Amino acid sequence: MYRTHTCGELRLENAGESISLSGWVQRSRDLGGMTFVDLRDRYGITQLVFNMEENEGLCKQARKLGREFVIQVHGKVTERSNKNSKMTTGDIEIRVNEMNLLKAAEVPPFTIEEESDGGDELRMKYRFLDLRRAPLRKNLELRHKMAQEIRRYFDSEDFLEIETPFLIKSTPEGARDFVVPSRMNEGQFYALPQSPQTFKQLLMVAGYDKYFQIVKCFRDEDLRADRQPEFTQIDCEMSFVERDDVLDTFEGLAKHLFRNILKVEIEGSFPKMSYDQAIEEYGSDKPDIRFEMKIKDLTSIAKGKDFRVFDDSEYIGAICAEGCVGYSRKELDGLTDFVTRPQIGAKGLIYARYNQDGSFKSSVDKFFGTEDLKAWAEELGAKPGDLILVLAGERTPTLKALSELRLEMGTRLGIRNKDVYKPLWIVDFPLLDWDEETGRFHAMHHPFTSPKIEDLDLFESDPGKVRANAYDLVINGVEIGGGSIRIHDEDLQKLMFKNLGFTDEEARNQFGFLMSAFRYGAPPHGGIAFGFDRWVALFAGLDSIRDVIAFPKNNSGRDVMIDSPSDISSEQLDELKLQKKK
Ligand code: ASP
């Protein structure tokens, strides 16, 4: 028997027991007559003691143990004289009387402890070593627990978990497909699913009225901290439902996870906010509503005072940073640098200090007198002691920049508390999004999203104004999921494809199977998909989804551990009848 217990298990009540442990040597300390070894496994760390006086040979052997050697020990659990309250096993230690070296190890390229000295790339290359560290282990444990709770919830609600294929045809989620050449069908390719969207809709036509799956999706797009080329969705679909039936069901899932994983009760229903309101007040369709600091439109009151920057702008918007009147010149310059960074793209930052004595001092005093600035303050609900920050320019990018500035100020003011959770639904998204580059509409969500029935008339006259029966779940400024009520009528689906610039033939080629299925009795249906990685990261209090994925890719989409993507042999290329272009 390799072990009777794990390295996280033994407590004071085990004192006196003879036990066996197996694990990795995290570190050893040699104190002359005694050698201490921290033995680690997935469950924790236990201190081993080797005593020169009791067993010289064994103690000498222990001194030779290197980091990450795998050993087995037999010994007696004893109470420690020097207890360590930070360790769950800190009250005891093991007096070792026998040791077997199971496998020696090379010196690891970085320290494998709570904090590591290894850089990102190095830790990615040796991910199997990094995964031995407690923080990563905890993330994977959390991920596992969440997956189990998700299954438990869906099972209790009569959902069926059904797998859908990976070798499919393009699914239109707006990213590039990863493609796989087919050997048996020369010159033809599968696409990996960007989501199981069309399959889950076909399952509804097939009568499986409640479906879910925790599933890999593949999207070939530029990567960021919260994106990976392959990621995991909690994918769901339901039949005979209207929007609020769907929202209620998945609000139930969210509450179940908050309750069972974080022990947090979210009271009442999640608020619903229209897309238009979110953009107007927060500059973003994923507002962080843990704090107010809403954006206010100053366009009408700030224009026409001979200040060229404002007069030439389509939109002037501001936020009020409470209690920040004392911001120094340097801090304000820092904020200007922040908003003028290319990723944010504002032209400059205008500020007005609302001094404690009720007077104002602004960067545009030449153009705006006390009365003007007072009007701004009133609009923003500002009080003496506050700092008003103003951006101007084209409406959409300026709102976006204000959103970033708002989040930055929220962070600086410490009002984005990681232990506070504020979920909300964003609803009534635009159905279509005009793309300047291609000169046509794109589906803002995907082409199977139903327009709101009351907006159908606008399809002919003003398609850009049609609202979608779509919704996103946002928690603390993170988009956790999105979905919609679907089109289940082939004529409406055809109209949608037409508006997206598909010819009848293109639509038939790509999605004929779905349109044909709709002719055989399609129930009204709708669903949602959640970003599982993001949700785990949010619950773990992390910004990057990489830390909650066992084997993630780096920013260039590479797995530096297995060195992929890589070349394939000319034989494989021949077999696939493929030729590389130089
Ligand atoms: N397939 C959609 C997505 O991946 C989600 C949905 O509409 O259910 O975003």
Side-chain angles (χ1 to χ4, degrees):
M1 207 203 294
Y2 279 111
R3 54 184 177 182
T4 54
H5 294 82
T6 69
C7 296
E9 200 177 343
L10 293 164
R11 301 284 184 275
L12 203 47
E13 50 273 25
N14 301 101
E17 289 177 25
S18 288
I19 55 91
S20 310
L21 295 179
S22 290
W24 287 261
V25 172
Q26 173 145 318
R27 60 157 88 174
S28 65
R29 293 175 306 282
D30 191 9
L31 303 181
M34 308 261 250
T35 298
F36 294 94
V37 170
D38 285 347
L39 191 68
R40 173 198 345 105
D41 67 9
R42 203 187 107 193
Y43 306 90
I45 292 176
T46 300
Q47 177 164 293
L48 312 177
V49 205
F50 298 83
N51 195 321
M52 206 63 170
E53 269 173 29
E54 279 169 23
N55 192 335
E56 193 181 330
L58 193 60
C59 197
K60 280 190 176 154
Q61 243 182 304
R63 282 185 188 170
K64 288 198 209 119
L65 291 173
R67 277 157 58 200
E68 302 309 314
F69 277 35
V70 186
I71 60 169
Q72 179 200 32
V73 294
H74 306 291
K76 196 166 249 171
V77 184
T78 34
E79 182 171 358
R80 271 207 223 182
S81 50
N82 210 351
K83 297 201 173 49
N84 181 349
S85 60
K86 286 197 197 109
M87 285 170 75
T88 51
T89 61
D91 287 350
I92 55 102
E93 59 195 5
I94 310 300
R95 302 240 150 210
V96 179
N97 48 45
E98 195 186 326
M99 175 172 81
N100 295 315
L101 177 63
L102 300 177
K103 189 77 177 75
E106 283 183 26
V107 177
F110 48 84
T111 47
I112 302 176
E113 298 192 13
E114 197 81 13
E115 296 285 335
S116 172
D117 58 358
D120 267 0
E121 276 291 292
L122 196 62
R123 285 189 291 113
M124 289 277 269
K125 187 162 160 51
Y126 295 92
R127 186 71 170 177
F128 49 93
L129 294 180
D130 207 18
L131 286 172
R132 284 184 193 162
R133 292 173 51 233
L136 277 176
R137 191 196 74 224
K138 284 183 191 142
N139 295 344
L140 294 188
E141 284 169 356
L142 171 67
R143 187 180 177 107
H144 163 82
K145 255 174 79 186
M146 287 178 73
Q148 302 315 309
E149 286 301 336
I150 288 161
R151 293 203 160 92
R152 207 153 70 88
Y153 177 79
F154 281 130
D155 186 50
S156 74
E157 294 281 323
D158 281 336
F159 279 74
L160 286 186
E161 182 169 13
I162 303 175
E163 286 156 275
T164 51
F166 281 174
L167 296 176
I168 64 165
K169 214 175 160 106
S170 183
T171 39
E173 299 285 359
R176 238 175 256 116
D177 289 322
F178 281 104
V179 294
V180 180
S182 164
R183 179 184 55 81
M184 289 192 281
N185 303 273
E186 198 184 312
Q188 294 192 310
F189 296 81
Y190 301 100
L192 298 181
Q194 292 185 32
S195 82
Q197 185 61 37
T198 48
F199 286 96
K200 64 175 170 176
Q201 292 194 241
L202 290 169
L203 284 170
M204 295 304 113
V205 180
Y208 295 83
D209 64 341
K210 289 176 171 186
Y211 141 93
F212 89 100
Q213 187 182 188
I214 301 181
V215 63
K216 273 287 166 77
C217 299
F218 306 85
R219 296 184 191 176
D220 186 2
E221 54 193 348
D222 294 336
L223 307 178
R224 300 186 305 231
D226 61 351
R227 274 200 195 153
Q228 282 276 305
E230 50 177 312
F231 59 97
T232 306
Q233 281 191 347
I234 311 162
D235 192 47
C236 321
E237 197 76 7
M238 303 170 80
S239 291
F240 305 116
V241 284
E242 291 174 343
R243 184 193 76 182
D244 287 356
D245 301 316
V246 179
L247 300 194
D248 287 349
T249 303
F250 298 110
E251 205 165 297
L253 170 70
K255 286 184 174 177
H256 177 87
L257 290 180
F258 273 111
R259 184 176 308 124
N260 291 291
I261 302 288
L262 295 182
K263 313 287 173 234
V264 167
E265 276 307 320
I266 308 269
E267 302 297 340
S269 304
F270 297 178
K272 296 185 183 89
M273 187 185 291
S274 75
Y275 171 88
D276 285 346
Q277 187 187 348
I279 297 294
E280 202 174 298
E281 295 184 348
Y282 297 93
S284 163
D285 59 1
K286 39 177 196 279
D288 183 348
I289 57 165
R290 279 173 297 181
F291 65 108
E292 281 265 320
M293 212 191 280
K294 287 184 190 165
I295 297 169
K296 292 286 172 188
D297 183 348
L298 301 184
T299 315
S300 60
I301 57 172
K303 266 193 175 198
K305 308 278 170 174
D306 292 333
F307 180 44
R308 274 291 289 280
V309 176
F310 281 3
D311 290 349
D312 291 348
S313 291
E314 179 190 12
Y315 172 86
I316 305 159
I319 54 171
C320 168
E322 243 183 273
C324 290
V325 72
Y327 256 45
S328 66
R329 182 78 247 170
K330 199 162 150 229
E331 281 169 309
L332 287 165
D333 287 346
L335 282 182
T336 306
D337 290 344
F338 175 81
V339 293
T340 53
R341 293 194 310 202
Q343 308 93 295
I344 297 187
K347 299 244 162 48
L349 173 73
I350 281 139
Y351 68 85
R353 289 196 171 97
Y354 195 168
N355 295 320
Q356 296 290 4
D357 63 5
S359 67
F360 287 90
K361 177 85 193 94
S362 82
S363 55
V364 283
D365 276 351
K366 249 210 251 157
F367 306 94
F368 298 92
T370 304
E371 283 313 305
D372 297 317
L373 298 175
K374 218 181 204 157
W376 295 8
E378 243 162 58
E379 193 62 37
L380 283 150
K383 307 175 302 310
D386 294 347
L387 175 70
I388 296 171
L389 299 169
V390 190
L391 299 181
E394 271 180 64
R395 185 170 189 272
T396 304
T398 304
L399 276 165
K400 239 183 177 164
L402 278 164
S403 160
E404 295 294 338
L405 181 61
R406 173 180 175 273
L407 293 176
E408 173 68 16
M409 290 312 294
T411 304
R412 287 184 187 212
L413 289 170
I415 46 180
R416 299 176 74 192
N417 185 345
K418 282 203 170 166
D419 299 324
V420 173
Y421 294 92
K422 292 279 182 187
L424 84 158
W425 293 104
I426 303 295
V427 297
D428 298 350
F429 283 81
L431 184 71
L432 304 168
D433 197 15
W434 181 255
D435 184 31
E436 286 295 343
E437 231 170 79
T438 51
R440 60 188 241 190
F441 282 114
H442 281 293
M444 186 128 172
H445 191 44
H446 53 57
F448 313 114
T449 295
S450 174
K452 293 197 88 156
I453 300 304
E454 58 266 40
D455 289 357
L456 274 181
D457 289 348
L458 291 167
F459 240 129
E460 297 293 336
S461 55
D462 196 353
K465 283 248 157 63
V466 178
R467 288 168 307 162
N469 202 349
Y471 32 78
D472 275 0
L473 175 63
V474 175
I475 307 177
N476 293 3
V478 180
E479 182 200 324
I480 290 292
S484 56
I485 295 297
R486 325 296 184 188
I487 297 170
H488 68 286
D489 171 82
E490 65 272 25
D491 290 332
L492 183 54
Q493 189 65 71
K494 266 190 200 152
L495 182 64
M496 181 70 175
F497 283 135
K498 198 174 117 207
N499 270 281
L500 294 174
F502 284 84
T503 64
D504 276 353
E505 202 195 337
E506 281 168 338
R508 218 175 312 117
N509 279 344
Q510 232 185 312
F511 305 113
F513 59 94
L514 188 67
M515 313 262 270
S516 117
F518 284 172
R519 290 200 292 272
Y520 291 93
H525 60 286
I528 193 164
F530 300 97
F532 184 45
D533 313 284
R534 276 191 204 169
W535 206 336
V536 181
L538 179 84
F539 273 21
L542 298 167
D543 294 324
S544 167
I545 62 169
R546 263 199 219 169
D547 298 334
V548 301
I549 297 174
F551 298 107
K553 311 256 184 298
N554 75 3
N555 275 345
S556 343
R558 293 200 70 80
D559 183 325
V560 291
M561 179 181 63
I562 59 171
D563 194 20
S564 170
S566 55
D567 285 332
I568 58 171
S569 68
S570 51
E571 289 79 18
Q572 276 175 300
L573 284 173
D574 286 347
E575 218 168 43
L576 296 165
K577 305 281 185 299
L578 289 179
Q579 215 174 6
K580 273 196 202 172
K581 269 189 175 176
K582 287 272 155 50

